[in-house]
Amino acid sequence: ALMAVGLLCRCASQAAPRGGPRDSLAPKVISMLPAFGTTNFKDKRIVIEFDEYVQLKELQKEFFTSPFMTKKPVVLLRGKKVQIDLKEDLDSNRTYSLNFGSSIRDNNEGNPYTGLRYVFSTGDRIDSLLMSGMTVDAMKGDTVGNVYILFFDARADSIPAYDSTLFKSKPLSVGRSYPNGIFIAENLQPIDYRIYALE
C-alpha cells in the first residue's frame, strides 16, 4: 500500500490550469431599446445590451452625435448594458445618430466594437442617403484622419463675399473620417450641402 501511494504521488504533477484560445471577438449587440431605426422617437433614455460585460474607453474622444447636440448625452455602464440619457429636447422631424467609434470594448481583452451607431428619427421616416469620400490636406497632399465632416444646408450662407456658415448655422449632419482619411456619412437628407472638414 505504501508503494502504491508513493507511485501515485510521483506521477502527479502540479501546474496552473490552461485556458482556451485568446478571446479576439468584439462584443455583440443583443438588443436596443427603443429599437434601432425607431421613428416618432420621444424617449429620453436608450439602452443597448451586449452578450458580455463591456467597458467604455476614450468616450470623450470617440463618441459624437449627428447632428451635434448642445448638451452631450450621458453614457453610463450598467453591467452588460450601455445606457444613454438624452439631456435636451430634440428637433422635430430630424434623423439623429449616436456614434460610438471604438469606445465600447469587451471587459476581458478590450476588443473594440468599431463603428457602432444608434439611429432614430423624431419624424415619421429615417433619412437614408449617404456620401463617401476622403479628407486630404491640400498643401501636403496627404490624407487626414479622425476629422469631423460637417454638412450644412447650402442655402444657409446668405453672404457670398464672406463665408459665414460656420458662425451662423448648425450642421444638419455630422460624419467622421477613419484614420486613413476615408469617411462614410450616413442618414443624410436629400438636399444640397455645403461640406466642411474640421480637424
Side-chain angles (χ1 to χ4, degrees), residues 72-85:
K72 202 165 185 179
V74 175
V75 182
L76 303 169
L77 281 177
R78 296 282 186 256
K80 295 182 180 180
K81 300 176 182 179
V82 172
Q83 176 181 303
I84 305 102
D85 292 326

Side-chain angles (χ1 to χ4, degrees), residues 22-28 50-57 77-82 103-113:
R22 181 183 179 275
D23 177 16
S24 60
L25 300 176
K28 294 180 182 177
F50 296 87
D51 65 340
E52 59 183 311
Y53 290 98
V54 294
Q55 58 178 311
L56 298 173
K57 189 93 171 176
L77 281 177
R78 296 282 186 256
K80 295 182 180 180
K81 300 176 182 179
V82 172
S103 62
I104 296 178
R105 302 168 181 247
D106 71 22
N107 204 37
N108 293 327
E109 300 292 343
N111 300 311
Y113 187 131

